[in-house]
């Protein structure tokens, strides 16, 4: 097997396969976002400046502009953080998105894995006291678990940086438990626009944190890493119109997710209760491959530390797509 930390859902998708592997919102982009992206393309004849986007994002989260750093998606943010300090004992809370772990390893750090047991809820007491960097997802990919903000706050202490990956927080109705608006020493929050707004190819994300931390990250950033279309997307998605549409999408995803979870449980499949745009399900060994043979791609989960071949991650989709998945799963399980 290739390095499991570098395995992502997009490689699961192939010609003719129904895509339930990639966690991108399954719906059209709003017209105002399409207009903004086209305007960003028109502006690409000049070198981009992310400053207007950072001002808009700061206003959106009720923070100061020097507390925002625009990045080329969350992936750039993970790399910048990994390279920003000679971390002595970085901890990654698993199972979670593997890119933070991979970025730390690529930067030459020895990573301590804190693997949560089922049902994958964060226990702050398990984090080693000597850790100077803690990276945790909220809600966590691939489990869908939403950790209490109080639990994450309790990880903060002098000499420690706590990085919270909130790439899927906008899919949570009302964004309960978000820390994006909180200015706390040592707290860093990473957000992404790619999933909720169906623009993974645009690479738009940002970091929220203390100005000294962000100055250190900015010093490592490649010049003009944030493209003109990405800047345009950040501006467009920081408006009140976007806030209302984001909430509508989150509520729609919650309805679609409930349908998916009901269908899976109806087949006797164990589901980890999710709060976001995907569901982690224990379907059994061999089911991932059998679904591919039936024309359906779901995300294998054995590449996440703490999980194994019995688990798959299933993206939330409209009810008619969910019905097709449940039907195929029923056939697979009956055949098994």
């Amino acid at each position: 097997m290739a390095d499991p930390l570098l395995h992502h859902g997009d490689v699961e998708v192939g010609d003719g396969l129904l895509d339930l592997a990639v966690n991108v919102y399954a719906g059209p982009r709003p017209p105002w976002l399409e207009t903004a992206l086209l305007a960003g393309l028109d502006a690409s004849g000049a070198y981009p400046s992310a400053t207007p986007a950072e001002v808009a994002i700061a206003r959106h989260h009720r923070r100061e502009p020097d507390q925002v750093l625009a990045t080329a998606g969350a992936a750039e943010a993970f790399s910048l953080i990994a390279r920003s300090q000679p971390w002595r004992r970085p901890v990654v809370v698993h199972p979670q998105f593997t890119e933070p772990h991979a970025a730390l390893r690529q930067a030459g750090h020895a990573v301590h894995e804190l693997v949560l047991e089922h049902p994958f809820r964060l226990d702050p007491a398990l984090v080693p006291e000597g850790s100077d960097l803690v990276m945790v997802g909220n809600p966590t990919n691939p489990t869908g678990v939403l950790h209490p903000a109080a639990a994450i706050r309790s990880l903060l202490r002098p000499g420690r940086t706590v990085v919270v990956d909130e790439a899927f927080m906008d899919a949570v109705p009302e964004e309960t438990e978000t820390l994006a608006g909180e200015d706390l020493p040592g707290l860093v929050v990473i957000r992404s626009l790619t999933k909720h707004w169906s623009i993974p190819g645009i690479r738009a994300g940002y970091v929220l944190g203390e100005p000294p931390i962000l100055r250190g990250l900015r010093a490592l950033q490649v010049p003009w890493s944030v493209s003109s279309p990405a800047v345009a997307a950040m501006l467009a998605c920081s408006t009140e119109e976007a806030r209302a549409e984001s909430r509508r999408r989150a509520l729609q995803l919650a309805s679609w997710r409930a349908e998916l979870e009901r269908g899976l449980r109806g087949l006797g499949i164990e589901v980890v209760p999710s709060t976001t745009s995907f569901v982690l399900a224990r379907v059994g060994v061999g089911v991932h491959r059998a679904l591919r043979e039936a024309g359906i791609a779901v995300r294998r989960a054995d590449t996440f530390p703490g999980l194994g071949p019995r688990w798959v991650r299933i993206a939330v989709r409209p009810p008619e797509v969910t019905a097709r998945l449940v039907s195929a799963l029923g056939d697979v399980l009956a055949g098994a």
Side-chain angles (χ1 to χ4, degrees), residues 241-261:
E241 184 178 25
R243 192 187 298 272
E245 172 62 14
S246 178
R247 182 176 184 276
R248 186 198 68 80
R249 289 180 175 221
L251 292 172
Q252 184 178 60
L253 284 168
S255 174
W256 291 353
R257 184 179 64 246
E259 186 78 12
L260 173 59
E261 292 182 342

Side-chain angles (χ1 to χ4, degrees), residues 10-189:
D10 59 311
V11 302
E12 304 268 6
V13 183
D15 290 341
L17 291 177
L18 180 65
D19 174 19
L20 283 87
V22 176
N23 297 321
V24 171
Y25 176 81
R29 290 187 288 267
W32 49 262
L33 180 53
E34 291 289 320
T35 299
L37 292 174
L38 290 172
L41 183 60
D42 288 341
S44 62
Y47 286 98
S49 170
T51 300
E54 291 169 349
V55 171
I57 291 166
R59 188 183 309 114
H60 181 72
H61 290 294
R62 296 176 175 82
R63 302 188 70 144
E64 297 299 321
D66 62 356
Q67 296 177 316
V68 181
L69 175 66
T71 59
E76 184 190 26
F78 297 135
S79 177
L80 293 174
I81 290 167
R83 294 184 287 117
S84 66
Q85 297 289 337
W87 305 109
R88 299 184 313 276
R89 193 176 191 190
V91 171
V92 177
V93 180
H94 284 294
Q96 77 149 312
F97 184 49
T98 54
E99 198 64 35
H101 190 146
L104 284 165
R105 192 183 60 185
Q106 289 165 355
H109 303 294
V111 179
H112 176 84
E113 295 183 6
L114 171 56
V115 179
L116 303 179
E117 297 182 0
H118 186 276
F120 312 116
R121 298 190 181 97
L122 176 64
D123 179 357
L126 297 177
V127 176
E129 192 57 38
S131 308
D132 56 346
L133 174 68
V134 179
M135 305 188 84
V136 59
N138 203 36
T140 303
N141 175 15
T143 65
V145 172
L146 183 66
H147 304 300
I152 296 176
R153 283 192 210 96
S154 73
L155 297 174
L156 294 166
R157 56 199 25 55
R160 173 186 288 176
T161 299
V162 176
V163 177
V164 189
D165 174 14
E166 291 193 0
F168 291 96
M169 185 63 79
D170 44 12
V172 178
E174 309 305 332
E175 297 193 7
T176 56
E177 312 305 332
T178 182
L179 292 169
E182 300 196 16
D183 180 12
L184 298 172
L187 176 66
V188 174
V189 176

